[in-house]
Amino acid sequence: MAHDYFGGLTGWDFEGFHSGGDTEIWKKFGAHHITVADDEHGSVDGVRFAVWAPNAQAVQVVGPFNWWTGDDLRLIPGSGVWGRFLEGLEEETLYKYRIQGPDGVWREKVDPVAAFSEQAPANASIVYKSRYAWSDDDWMARRSEARPHAEPMSVYEIHLGGWRKGKSYLELADELVEYLTWQGYTHVELMPVSEHPFEPSWGYQVSGYFAPTSRFGKPDDLRHLIDKLHQAGIGVILDWVPGHFPKDEWALGRFDGTALYEHADPRQGEHTDWGTYIFNYGRNEVKSFLVSNALYWIQEFHIDGLRVDAVASMLYLDYSRDEGQWVPNQYGGRENLEAIDFLRYVNRHLYEREPGVLMIAEESTSFPGVTKPVHEGGLGFGFKWNMGWMNDSLRYLQLDPVYRQYDHNLLTFAMVYAFSENFILPISHDEVVHGKGSMLNKVPQDDWRKFATLRAFYSYMWSFPGKQLVFMGSEFAQRPEFDESTSLEWWVSDLWGHGGLQRLFRDLNHIYREHPALYELDNDPEGFTWINADDAGHNALSWVRNDSAGNHVACITNFSAEPLRDYSIGLPAVGTWEEILNTDSLHYDGSGQHGNLGAVEAEAEPWGHFSARARVTVPPLASVWLRRNAQP
């Protein structure tokens, strides 16, 4: 053979992989269509294969190019990596690895670092080389200078297969971009698009960490969708799942016949609730694999942020385990020290490599310092989902208005810890599945009260400290629960109530983005001042949001079925306060009982801790926002 058998790879190329320091493993592992020097022909084209299987007795690559009979790979000296260059292979050819484990059994496996895969239920890996030319230079330049905590962020969470069933990445690049632009969201969050075998897992059980699912097209088609979103000024967040992976025999599990990516001990290596394996975060090669995967999506697909799924399951060794079914750490505690070190590593690395990127933790416990910098002892995330706010506010929402006064603290308690982390307020897919009911059906009583309550709730949410996230379909109050096998019920957005709520979401997003008082100081106590936190008898809450330039937005929400007329509030400045939102407007399918005639006057009369006082009318189950700009 006249050319290099390993396509230019040597054992030295994998030193970083074995030390946990290689953060770009996709450039060496997987299948790469390359040109290599050849003594006879000068150069030849082909595909270089490389796969980590240190305990294997033998490894073959199989595909249509060898009638699925197998070409032998060899161990690259000193690496535990098997490789081979095969000349003449075309791009987009299918392949798998056949691996003989230490037990002598041959197992057929897909490539852990494949860039593309067959569409489920088929699973062969596909040789793929991107030729996409990006057109989002302006967006990427702005991202590198971004200050996410001081900028608006309203996120639309989406399951690509269920938004409009049957749409491809290319079709979504037109339809989704147009819709998000009209609605005014700043970001879209994609539920995992990494290749996965089981559609009802929604992508949370990943079999191809480096391969976008082929259900909607090719990898460059996804790049086109992201590019179009960026050109429209919309950021893209991707759900990332480093906490566990499925047990499918052809995927990562027991990859070379041994527990390679996962812990061998089921007390550390399996989630019995989910039927999945847990990554071995203490293994350097696993660290390299996962941190490279995170960087891969950000660099190769221009993803703007990663929402890390199920962080709590990573942090605690006893997560969802009975006594005696878990192994304490070296100090006898329940914290998973290796996972904590890994999360700190990936967060620190990504923020250093890609300024402006978003790292978001879906973490449901009170673990301290989730969004505290690593150098200060934190986990280093940029944001954390505020699951406490979500649980409390949804409990309140489901109460009949006459009983809400007895649980008023459900809406006020979140301010006790509002500035302890950098929060995102999530109303996600998890809240509208598995018998929990849609948002509309959580609310008691008739349709008028249901829609009015939702309008008040979302305005309360959009004015509360923290960024916002809402799941698709919630913006027009779809009645059924989320079902990935069908499209959203778009037709209802033409109906009374549904269309009004959808129009409100559009206005909420645009008003929010136009007023820095609603977002600039989200993580600073100076950005929020209670007007009245204690009016449980009226089911009312009121506060002022402030920005650094001295502008104010006063937000008053009435969660009772009775109007608040001539309701006395304190305000930080005298003069005219313009009404910029009233959720009872006829435009939103409300009753149109405004009462404030577009503005209220604040008099120089002390009220509580404020220097001015005004009287405002707030319709039943409604919110009113008032604006007072700083004087020039």
Side-chain angles (χ1 to χ4, degrees), residues 276-333:
T276 54
Y277 287 128
I278 300 171
F279 282 106
N280 182 350
Y281 305 105
R283 188 161 199 166
N284 284 336
E285 293 86 354
V286 172
K287 290 181 189 176
S288 290
F289 177 84
L290 288 174
V291 72
S292 294
N293 184 240
L295 186 63
Y296 173 78
W297 289 107
I298 290 168
Q299 286 199 342
E300 297 294 316
F301 285 85
H302 290 199
I303 291 292
D304 301 295
L306 299 176
R307 176 269 198 184
V308 184
D309 180 62
V311 171
S313 75
M314 301 171 66
L315 295 177
Y316 297 104
L317 296 164
D318 63 345
Y319 182 87
S320 194
R321 296 180 187 274
D322 295 328
E323 190 67 33
Q325 297 300 308
W326 57 283
V327 180
N329 63 35
Q330 65 191 79
Y331 304 108

Side-chain angles (χ1 to χ4, degrees), residues 374-388:
V374 171
H375 66 269
E376 295 179 11
L379 290 184
F381 283 95
F383 292 95
K384 172 182 172 174
W385 275 22
N386 193 336
M387 308 297 277

Side-chain angles (χ1 to χ4, degrees), residues 183-202:
Q183 278 275 285
Y185 293 96
T186 67
H187 292 74
V188 62
E189 179 173 316
L190 308 179
M191 290 167 69
V193 298
S194 304
E195 195 58 80
H196 51 282
F198 185 50
E199 191 162 355
S201 82
W202 311 325

Side-chain angles (χ1 to χ4, degrees), residues 104-184:
V105 175
W106 287 89
R107 298 171 178 85
E108 205 167 79
K109 294 283 189 176
V110 300
D111 187 349
V113 194
F116 191 29
S117 297
E118 276 190 298
Q119 189 167 329
N123 56 34
S125 302
I126 302 175
V127 178
Y128 190 83
K129 185 174 184 178
S130 174
R131 287 182 167 80
Y132 190 78
W134 291 90
S135 300
D136 63 348
D137 289 352
D138 289 346
W139 171 270
M140 297 299 284
R142 287 197 304 272
R143 189 181 83 181
S144 67
E145 303 294 329
R147 298 186 304 129
H149 300 100
E151 295 175 2
M153 186 188 300
S154 62
V155 186
Y156 187 72
E157 185 190 31
I158 180 173
H159 178 268
L160 287 180
W163 190 70
R164 286 180 180 161
K165 193 71 176 175
K167 298 294 183 181
S168 66
Y169 293 127
L170 295 179
E171 290 169 319
L172 289 164
D174 294 325
E175 298 179 25
L176 178 62
V177 172
E178 180 183 13
Y179 182 72
L180 293 176
T181 300
W182 174 69
Q183 278 275 285

